[in-house]
Amino acid sequence: MSDAIARYQLAMAGFDAVAGAVPEDRWSAASPCRGWTARDVVGHVLSSQDMLFAWIAGKRPTMPDEDPAARIGDDPRGAWRATYAEVGAALAEPGLAQRPVSTYPGGPSTVDEILDSGLVEPLVHAWDLARAADVEFTLDDALATECLRAMKEHERRVRLSGMFGSENPVADDATPGERLLAFLGRTPN
């Protein structure tokens, strides 16, 4: 197993832990993602997995629905668990890490490179979901460091996407997770 696959599995497990802990009455709670609820965050992460793994399979993904929650139906936790199992099976495929991917929008790539650039989805949105659900969650330092490296490597595309805010200042002694969140325009407190 490659380091990128191991990192992605760890980030997905973190998101799974948070999704499993969301109280039933918190699915409609506002998240740090402007205009999104906890349910919307889960729907967005599911759609991002659909897109990522379509690229990995060499297919052109369909664009996500404008309503992020449309992907999950009435059972956000169940929809998440089904996708989590599918992603786990896909990541266990032998030889996956170095498979060339030609359909990725950034040009030819490998699965490892795509997983590193996609790490932001399960990792940072686990934090967003935890905030919406009022669930305890701390970003893993090693994952946050790697994610921040990947985001900075593609900063121009990250900023042009409009999905992330302007970088916020952090203290000199900020944790890697706080640095990542601030880089993406979140207030990590």
PDB file of all heavy atoms in Angstrom, residues 5-37:
ATOM      1  N   ILE A   5      -2.335   6.211  -0.349  1.00  0.00           N
ATOM      2  CA  ILE A   5      -3.527   5.409  -0.058  1.00  0.00           C
ATOM      3  C   ILE A   5      -3.725   5.311   1.450  1.00  0.00           C
ATOM      4  O   ILE A   5      -4.848   5.461   1.947  1.00  0.00           O
ATOM      5  CB  ILE A   5      -3.434   4.019  -0.712  1.00  0.00           C
ATOM      6  CG1 ILE A   5      -3.572   4.159  -2.233  1.00  0.00           C
ATOM      7  CG2 ILE A   5      -4.503   3.076  -0.161  1.00  0.00           C
ATOM      8  CD1 ILE A   5      -3.359   2.865  -3.014  1.00  0.00           C
ATOM      9  N   ALA A   6      -2.655   5.086   2.196  1.00  0.00           N
ATOM     10  CA  ALA A   6      -2.764   5.006   3.657  1.00  0.00           C
ATOM     11  C   ALA A   6      -3.294   6.314   4.237  1.00  0.00           C
ATOM     12  O   ALA A   6      -4.156   6.299   5.132  1.00  0.00           O
ATOM     13  CB  ALA A   6      -1.410   4.654   4.267  1.00  0.00           C
ATOM     14  N   ARG A   7      -2.797   7.440   3.729  1.00  0.00           N
ATOM     15  CA  ARG A   7      -3.291   8.740   4.209  1.00  0.00           C
ATOM     16  C   ARG A   7      -4.775   8.900   3.908  1.00  0.00           C
ATOM     17  O   ARG A   7      -5.549   9.371   4.744  1.00  0.00           O
ATOM     18  CB  ARG A   7      -2.508   9.885   3.561  1.00  0.00           C
ATOM     19  CG  ARG A   7      -1.144  10.124   4.137  1.00  0.00           C
ATOM     20  CD  ARG A   7      -0.514  11.396   3.603  1.00  0.00           C
ATOM     21  NE  ARG A   7      -0.190  11.339   2.194  1.00  0.00           N
ATOM     22  CZ  ARG A   7       0.975  10.936   1.697  1.00  0.00           C
ATOM     23  NH1 ARG A   7       1.933  10.519   2.505  1.00  0.00           N
ATOM     24  NH2 ARG A   7       1.186  10.950   0.395  1.00  0.00           N
ATOM     25  N   TYR A   8      -5.168   8.532   2.689  1.00  0.00           N
ATOM     26  CA  TYR A   8      -6.566   8.697   2.299  1.00  0.00           C
ATOM     27  C   TYR A   8      -7.465   7.811   3.164  1.00  0.00           C
ATOM     28  O   TYR A   8      -8.532   8.251   3.610  1.00  0.00           O
ATOM     29  CB  TYR A   8      -6.760   8.399   0.806  1.00  0.00           C
ATOM     30  CG  TYR A   8      -7.943   9.117   0.246  1.00  0.00           C
ATOM     31  CD1 TYR A   8      -7.846  10.453  -0.138  1.00  0.00           C
ATOM     32  CD2 TYR A   8      -9.184   8.493   0.133  1.00  0.00           C
ATOM     33  CE1 TYR A   8      -8.949  11.145  -0.618  1.00  0.00           C
ATOM     34  CE2 TYR A   8     -10.284   9.176  -0.353  1.00  0.00           C
ATOM     35  CZ  TYR A   8     -10.158  10.497  -0.725  1.00  0.00           C
ATOM     36  OH  TYR A   8     -11.252  11.185  -1.194  1.00  0.00           O
ATOM     37  N   GLN A   9      -7.035   6.583   3.416  1.00  0.00           N
ATOM     38  CA  GLN A   9      -7.818   5.692   4.273  1.00  0.00           C
ATOM     39  C   GLN A   9      -7.974   6.273   5.677  1.00  0.00           C
ATOM     40  O   GLN A   9      -9.055   6.206   6.264  1.00  0.00           O
ATOM     41  CB  GLN A   9      -7.161   4.313   4.348  1.00  0.00           C
ATOM     42  CG  GLN A   9      -7.308   3.510   3.094  1.00  0.00           C
ATOM     43  CD  GLN A   9      -6.556   2.193   3.153  1.00  0.00           C
ATOM     44  OE1 GLN A   9      -5.498   2.094   3.783  1.00  0.00           O
ATOM     45  NE2 GLN A   9      -7.101   1.182   2.493  1.00  0.00           N
ATOM     46  N   LEU A  10      -6.901   6.852   6.199  1.00  0.00           N
ATOM     47  CA  LEU A  10      -6.947   7.452   7.531  1.00  0.00           C
ATOM     48  C   LEU A  10      -7.906   8.644   7.561  1.00  0.00           C
ATOM     49  O   LEU A  10      -8.684   8.807   8.500  1.00  0.00           O
ATOM     50  CB  LEU A  10      -5.540   7.856   7.969  1.00  0.00           C
ATOM     51  CG  LEU A  10      -5.375   8.333   9.404  1.00  0.00           C
ATOM     52  CD1 LEU A  10      -5.851   7.293  10.410  1.00  0.00           C
ATOM     53  CD2 LEU A  10      -3.906   8.673   9.663  1.00  0.00           C
ATOM     54  N   ALA A  11      -7.854   9.477   6.531  1.00  0.00           N
ATOM     55  CA  ALA A  11      -8.770  10.623   6.464  1.00  0.00           C
ATOM     56  C   ALA A  11     -10.218  10.150   6.348  1.00  0.00           C
ATOM     57  O   ALA A  11     -11.114  10.718   6.991  1.00  0.00           O
ATOM     58  CB  ALA A  11      -8.407  11.526   5.288  1.00  0.00           C
ATOM     59  N   MET A  12     -10.444   9.131   5.549  1.00  0.00           N
ATOM     60  CA  MET A  12     -11.805   8.598   5.411  1.00  0.00           C
ATOM     61  C   MET A  12     -12.287   8.005   6.734  1.00  0.00           C
ATOM     62  O   MET A  12     -13.456   8.169   7.104  1.00  0.00           O
ATOM     63  CB  MET A  12     -11.852   7.547   4.297  1.00  0.00           C
ATOM     64  CG  MET A  12     -11.661   8.113   2.899  1.00  0.00           C
ATOM     65  SD  MET A  12     -13.054   9.089   2.312  1.00  0.00           S
ATOM     66  CE  MET A  12     -14.221   7.786   1.923  1.00  0.00           C
ATOM     67  N   ALA A  13     -11.410   7.341   7.453  1.00  0.00           N
ATOM     68  CA  ALA A  13     -11.781   6.783   8.759  1.00  0.00           C
ATOM     69  C   ALA A  13     -12.131   7.898   9.737  1.00  0.00           C
ATOM     70  O   ALA A  13     -13.065   7.768  10.546  1.00  0.00           O
ATOM     71  CB  ALA A  13     -10.652   5.919   9.309  1.00  0.00           C
ATOM     72  N   GLY A  14     -11.415   9.016   9.668  1.00  0.00           N
ATOM     73  CA  GLY A  14     -11.736  10.159  10.519  1.00  0.00           C
ATOM     74  C   GLY A  14     -13.110  10.725  10.198  1.00  0.00           C
ATOM     75  O   GLY A  14     -13.893  11.034  11.101  1.00  0.00           O
ATOM     76  N   PHE A  15     -13.396  10.849   8.907  1.00  0.00           N
ATOM     77  CA  PHE A  15     -14.713  11.345   8.512  1.00  0.00           C
ATOM     78  C   PHE A  15     -15.791  10.365   8.977  1.00  0.00           C
ATOM     79  O   PHE A  15     -16.848  10.771   9.471  1.00  0.00           O
ATOM     80  CB  PHE A  15     -14.800  11.557   7.002  1.00  0.00           C
ATOM     81  CG  PHE A  15     -16.023  12.315   6.581  1.00  0.00           C
ATOM     82  CD1 PHE A  15     -15.987  13.692   6.446  1.00  0.00           C
ATOM     83  CD2 PHE A  15     -17.223  11.662   6.345  1.00  0.00           C
ATOM     84  CE1 PHE A  15     -17.125  14.406   6.079  1.00  0.00           C
ATOM     85  CE2 PHE A  15     -18.366  12.356   5.980  1.00  0.00           C
ATOM     86  CZ  PHE A  15     -18.312  13.734   5.849  1.00  0.00           C
ATOM     87  N   ASP A  16     -15.514   9.079   8.846  1.00  0.00           N
ATOM     88  CA  ASP A  16     -16.469   8.060   9.276  1.00  0.00           C
ATOM     89  C   ASP A  16     -16.756   8.175  10.775  1.00  0.00           C
ATOM     90  O   ASP A  16     -17.915   8.063  11.192  1.00  0.00           O
ATOM     91  CB  ASP A  16     -15.936   6.664   8.942  1.00  0.00           C
ATOM     92  CG  ASP A  16     -16.921   5.582   9.315  1.00  0.00           C
ATOM     93  OD1 ASP A  16     -18.056   5.600   8.797  1.00  0.00           O
ATOM     94  OD2 ASP A  16     -16.566   4.715  10.145  1.00  0.00           O
ATOM     95  N   ALA A  17     -15.723   8.405  11.562  1.00  0.00           N
ATOM     96  CA  ALA A  17     -15.924   8.533  13.009  1.00  0.00           C
ATOM     97  C   ALA A  17     -16.827   9.718  13.329  1.00  0.00           C
ATOM     98  O   ALA A  17     -17.718   9.613  14.180  1.00  0.00           O
ATOM     99  CB  ALA A  17     -14.574   8.678  13.715  1.00  0.00           C
ATOM    100  N   VAL A  18     -16.609  10.815  12.640  1.00  0.00           N
ATOM    101  CA  VAL A  18     -17.451  11.992  12.883  1.00  0.00           C
ATOM    102  C   VAL A  18     -18.879  11.732  12.400  1.00  0.00           C
ATOM    103  O   VAL A  18     -19.846  11.998  13.121  1.00  0.00           O
ATOM    104  CB  VAL A  18     -16.867  13.256  12.214  1.00  0.00           C
ATOM    105  CG1 VAL A  18     -17.816  14.439  12.364  1.00  0.00           C
ATOM    106  CG2 VAL A  18     -15.506  13.591  12.806  1.00  0.00           C
ATOM    107  N   ALA A  19     -19.025  11.200  11.186  1.00  0.00           N
ATOM    108  CA  ALA A  19     -20.372  10.931  10.642  1.00  0.00           C
ATOM    109  C   ALA A  19     -21.141   9.963  11.546  1.00  0.00           C
ATOM    110  O   ALA A  19     -22.354  10.105  11.720  1.00  0.00           O
ATOM    111  CB  ALA A  19     -20.275  10.370   9.231  1.00  0.00           C
ATOM    112  N   GLY A  20     -20.429   9.019  12.147  1.00  0.00           N
ATOM    113  CA  GLY A  20     -21.082   8.072  13.045  1.00  0.00           C
ATOM    114  C   GLY A  20     -21.508   8.686  14.368  1.00  0.00           C
ATOM    115  O   GLY A  20     -22.358   8.133  15.066  1.00  0.00           O
ATOM    116  N   ALA A  21     -20.926   9.819  14.709  1.00  0.00           N
ATOM    117  CA  ALA A  21     -21.216  10.464  15.989  1.00  0.00           C
ATOM    118  C   ALA A  21     -22.214  11.617  15.899  1.00  0.00           C
ATOM    119  O   ALA A  21     -22.569  12.199  16.918  1.00  0.00           O
ATOM    120  CB  ALA A  21     -19.907  10.973  16.603  1.00  0.00           C
ATOM    121  N   VAL A  22     -22.668  11.954  14.688  1.00  0.00           N
ATOM    122  CA  VAL A  22     -23.592  13.080  14.541  1.00  0.00           C
ATOM    123  C   VAL A  22     -24.928  12.734  15.196  1.00  0.00           C
ATOM    124  O   VAL A  22     -25.581  11.761  14.815  1.00  0.00           O
ATOM    125  CB  VAL A  22     -23.817  13.444  13.050  1.00  0.00           C
ATOM    126  CG1 VAL A  22     -24.867  14.544  12.917  1.00  0.00           C
ATOM    127  CG2 VAL A  22     -22.511  13.858  12.392  1.00  0.00           C
ATOM    128  N   PRO A  23     -25.358  13.516  16.180  1.00  0.00           N
ATOM    129  CA  PRO A  23     -26.675  13.283  16.782  1.00  0.00           C
ATOM    130  C   PRO A  23     -27.777  13.529  15.739  1.00  0.00           C
ATOM    131  O   PRO A  23     -27.642  14.398  14.865  1.00  0.00           O
ATOM    132  CB  PRO A  23     -26.759  14.323  17.901  1.00  0.00           C
ATOM    133  CG  PRO A  23     -25.341  14.729  18.171  1.00  0.00           C
ATOM    134  CD  PRO A  23     -24.632  14.597  16.853  1.00  0.00           C
ATOM    135  N   GLU A  24     -28.834  12.783  15.824  1.00  0.00           N
ATOM    136  CA  GLU A  24     -29.921  12.883  14.840  1.00  0.00           C
ATOM    137  C   GLU A  24     -30.457  14.307  14.709  1.00  0.00           C
ATOM    138  O   GLU A  24     -30.848  14.723  13.625  1.00  0.00           O
ATOM    139  CB  GLU A  24     -31.060  11.913  15.184  1.00  0.00           C
ATOM    140  CG  GLU A  24     -30.714  10.455  14.934  1.00  0.00           C
ATOM    141  CD  GLU A  24     -30.292  10.184  13.490  1.00  0.00           C
ATOM    142  OE1 GLU A  24     -30.903  10.720  12.548  1.00  0.00           O
ATOM    143  OE2 GLU A  24     -29.341   9.413  13.300  1.00  0.00           O
ATOM    144  N   ASP A  25     -30.461  15.053  15.799  1.00  0.00           N
ATOM    145  CA  ASP A  25     -31.019  16.404  15.740  1.00  0.00           C
ATOM    146  C   ASP A  25     -30.015  17.445  15.221  1.00  0.00           C
ATOM    147  O   ASP A  25     -30.321  18.628  15.169  1.00  0.00           O
ATOM    148  CB  ASP A  25     -31.550  16.829  17.113  1.00  0.00           C
ATOM    149  CG  ASP A  25     -30.470  16.962  18.171  1.00  0.00           C
ATOM    150  OD1 ASP A  25     -29.351  16.412  17.991  1.00  0.00           O
ATOM    151  OD2 ASP A  25     -30.731  17.622  19.194  1.00  0.00           O
ATOM    152  N   ARG A  26     -28.830  17.009  14.786  1.00  0.00           N
ATOM    153  CA  ARG A  26     -27.820  17.969  14.314  1.00  0.00           C
ATOM    154  C   ARG A  26     -27.596  17.924  12.800  1.00  0.00           C
ATOM    155  O   ARG A  26     -26.797  18.690  12.276  1.00  0.00           O
ATOM    156  CB  ARG A  26     -26.472  17.718  15.011  1.00  0.00           C
ATOM    157  CG  ARG A  26     -26.475  17.887  16.515  1.00  0.00           C
ATOM    158  CD  ARG A  26     -26.708  19.285  16.968  1.00  0.00           C
ATOM    159  NE  ARG A  26     -25.660  20.174  16.481  1.00  0.00           N
ATOM    160  CZ  ARG A  26     -25.624  21.470  16.710  1.00  0.00           C
ATOM    161  NH1 ARG A  26     -26.574  22.049  17.416  1.00  0.00           N
ATOM    162  NH2 ARG A  26     -24.653  22.218  16.220  1.00  0.00           N
ATOM    163  N   TRP A  27     -28.302  17.068  12.076  1.00  0.00           N
ATOM    164  CA  TRP A  27     -28.092  16.974  10.625  1.00  0.00           C
ATOM    165  C   TRP A  27     -28.477  18.271   9.906  1.00  0.00           C
ATOM    166  O   TRP A  27     -27.963  18.564   8.834  1.00  0.00           O
ATOM    167  CB  TRP A  27     -28.850  15.794  10.025  1.00  0.00           C
ATOM    168  CG  TRP A  27     -28.215  14.487  10.390  1.00  0.00           C
ATOM    169  CD1 TRP A  27     -28.716  13.534  11.244  1.00  0.00           C
ATOM    170  CD2 TRP A  27     -26.947  13.996   9.947  1.00  0.00           C
ATOM    171  NE1 TRP A  27     -27.839  12.492  11.347  1.00  0.00           N
ATOM    172  CE2 TRP A  27     -26.738  12.746  10.557  1.00  0.00           C
ATOM    173  CE3 TRP A  27     -25.955  14.488   9.098  1.00  0.00           C
ATOM    174  CZ2 TRP A  27     -25.599  11.972  10.344  1.00  0.00           C
ATOM    175  CZ3 TRP A  27     -24.811  13.726   8.879  1.00  0.00           C
ATOM    176  CH2 TRP A  27     -24.646  12.488   9.498  1.00  0.00           C
ATOM    177  N   SER A  28     -29.337  19.060  10.481  1.00  0.00           N
ATOM    178  CA  SER A  28     -29.742  20.328   9.858  1.00  0.00           C
ATOM    179  C   SER A  28     -28.973  21.523  10.418  1.00  0.00           C
ATOM    180  O   SER A  28     -29.236  22.664  10.018  1.00  0.00           O
ATOM    181  CB  SER A  28     -31.245  20.559  10.058  1.00  0.00           C
ATOM    182  OG  SER A  28     -31.969  19.547   9.397  1.00  0.00           O
ATOM    183  N   ALA A  29     -28.010  21.283  11.300  1.00  0.00           N
ATOM    184  CA  ALA A  29     -27.239  22.370  11.903  1.00  0.00           C
ATOM    185  C   ALA A  29     -26.294  22.977  10.868  1.00  0.00           C
ATOM    186  O   ALA A  29     -25.769  22.292   9.995  1.00  0.00           O
ATOM    187  CB  ALA A  29     -26.447  21.845  13.096  1.00  0.00           C
ATOM    188  N   ALA A  30     -26.081  24.277  10.976  1.00  0.00           N
ATOM    189  CA  ALA A  30     -25.181  24.997  10.062  1.00  0.00           C
ATOM    190  C   ALA A  30     -23.747  24.522  10.256  1.00  0.00           C
ATOM    191  O   ALA A  30     -23.311  24.240  11.369  1.00  0.00           O
ATOM    192  CB  ALA A  30     -25.270  26.495  10.323  1.00  0.00           C
ATOM    193  N   SER A  31     -23.030  24.441   9.154  1.00  0.00           N
ATOM    194  CA  SER A  31     -21.616  24.060   9.174  1.00  0.00           C
ATOM    195  C   SER A  31     -20.764  25.296   8.894  1.00  0.00           C
ATOM    196  O   SER A  31     -21.292  26.342   8.500  1.00  0.00           O
ATOM    197  CB  SER A  31     -21.348  22.996   8.110  1.00  0.00           C
ATOM    198  OG  SER A  31     -21.200  23.595   6.837  1.00  0.00           O
ATOM    199  N   PRO A  32     -19.448  25.198   9.037  1.00  0.00           N
ATOM    200  CA  PRO A  32     -18.574  26.315   8.668  1.00  0.00           C
ATOM    201  C   PRO A  32     -18.573  26.602   7.162  1.00  0.00           C
ATOM    202  O   PRO A  32     -18.090  27.652   6.743  1.00  0.00           O
ATOM    203  CB  PRO A  32     -17.186  25.862   9.134  1.00  0.00           C
ATOM    204  CG  PRO A  32     -17.451  24.860  10.196  1.00  0.00           C
ATOM    205  CD  PRO A  32     -18.712  24.169   9.767  1.00  0.00           C
ATOM    206  N   CYS A  33     -19.096  25.692   6.360  1.00  0.00           N
ATOM    207  CA  CYS A  33     -19.187  25.907   4.913  1.00  0.00           C
ATOM    208  C   CYS A  33     -20.420  26.763   4.651  1.00  0.00           C
ATOM    209  O   CYS A  33     -21.552  26.321   4.890  1.00  0.00           O
ATOM    210  CB  CYS A  33     -19.303  24.579   4.170  1.00  0.00           C
ATOM    211  SG  CYS A  33     -17.948  23.456   4.487  1.00  0.00           S
ATOM    212  N   ARG A  34     -20.202  27.955   4.166  1.00  0.00           N
ATOM    213  CA  ARG A  34     -21.273  28.937   4.001  1.00  0.00           C
ATOM    214  C   ARG A  34     -22.490  28.343   3.284  1.00  0.00           C
ATOM    215  O   ARG A  34     -22.392  27.824   2.177  1.00  0.00           O
ATOM    216  CB  ARG A  34     -20.757  30.136   3.232  1.00  0.00           C
ATOM    217  CG  ARG A  34     -21.721  31.294   3.164  1.00  0.00           C
ATOM    218  CD  ARG A  34     -21.100  32.495   2.534  1.00  0.00           C
ATOM    219  NE  ARG A  34     -19.903  32.133   1.750  1.00  0.00           N
ATOM    220  CZ  ARG A  34     -19.572  32.696   0.620  1.00  0.00           C
ATOM    221  NH1 ARG A  34     -20.281  33.657   0.128  1.00  0.00           N
ATOM    222  NH2 ARG A  34     -18.493  32.318  -0.024  1.00  0.00           N
ATOM    223  N   GLY A  35     -23.639  28.404   3.941  1.00  0.00           N
ATOM    224  CA  GLY A  35     -24.894  27.955   3.360  1.00  0.00           C
ATOM    225  C   GLY A  35     -25.134  26.455   3.454  1.00  0.00           C
ATOM    226  O   GLY A  35     -26.155  25.973   2.969  1.00  0.00           O
ATOM    227  N   TRP A  36     -24.218  25.723   4.058  1.00  0.00           N
ATOM    228  CA  TRP A  36     -24.368  24.267   4.143  1.00  0.00           C
ATOM    229  C   TRP A  36     -24.654  23.814   5.564  1.00  0.00           C
ATOM    230  O   TRP A  36     -24.099  24.337   6.523  1.00  0.00           O
ATOM    231  CB  TRP A  36     -23.098  23.567   3.689  1.00  0.00           C
ATOM    232  CG  TRP A  36     -22.902  23.522   2.214  1.00  0.00           C
ATOM    233  CD1 TRP A  36     -23.677  24.068   1.247  1.00  0.00           C
ATOM    234  CD2 TRP A  36     -21.812  22.880   1.535  1.00  0.00           C
ATOM    235  NE1 TRP A  36     -23.142  23.815   0.007  1.00  0.00           N
ATOM    236  CE2 TRP A  36     -21.993  23.085   0.160  1.00  0.00           C
ATOM    237  CE3 TRP A  36     -20.705  22.175   1.951  1.00  0.00           C
ATOM    238  CZ2 TRP A  36     -21.114  22.590  -0.791  1.00  0.00           C
ATOM    239  CZ3 TRP A  36     -19.824  21.685   1.019  1.00  0.00           C
ATOM    240  CH2 TRP A  36     -20.043  21.887  -0.342  1.00  0.00           C
ATOM    241  N   THR A  37     -25.471  22.785   5.650  1.00  0.00           N
ATOM    242  CA  THR A  37     -25.737  22.113   6.921  1.00  0.00           C
ATOM    243  C   THR A  37     -24.825  20.888   7.029  1.00  0.00           C
ATOM    244  O   THR A  37     -24.086  20.560   6.085  1.00  0.00           O
ATOM    245  CB  THR A  37     -27.201  21.629   6.973  1.00  0.00           C
ATOM    246  OG1 THR A  37     -27.383  20.629   5.946  1.00  0.00           O
ATOM    247  CG2 THR A  37     -28.191  22.776   6.777  1.00  0.00           C
TER     248      THR A  37
END
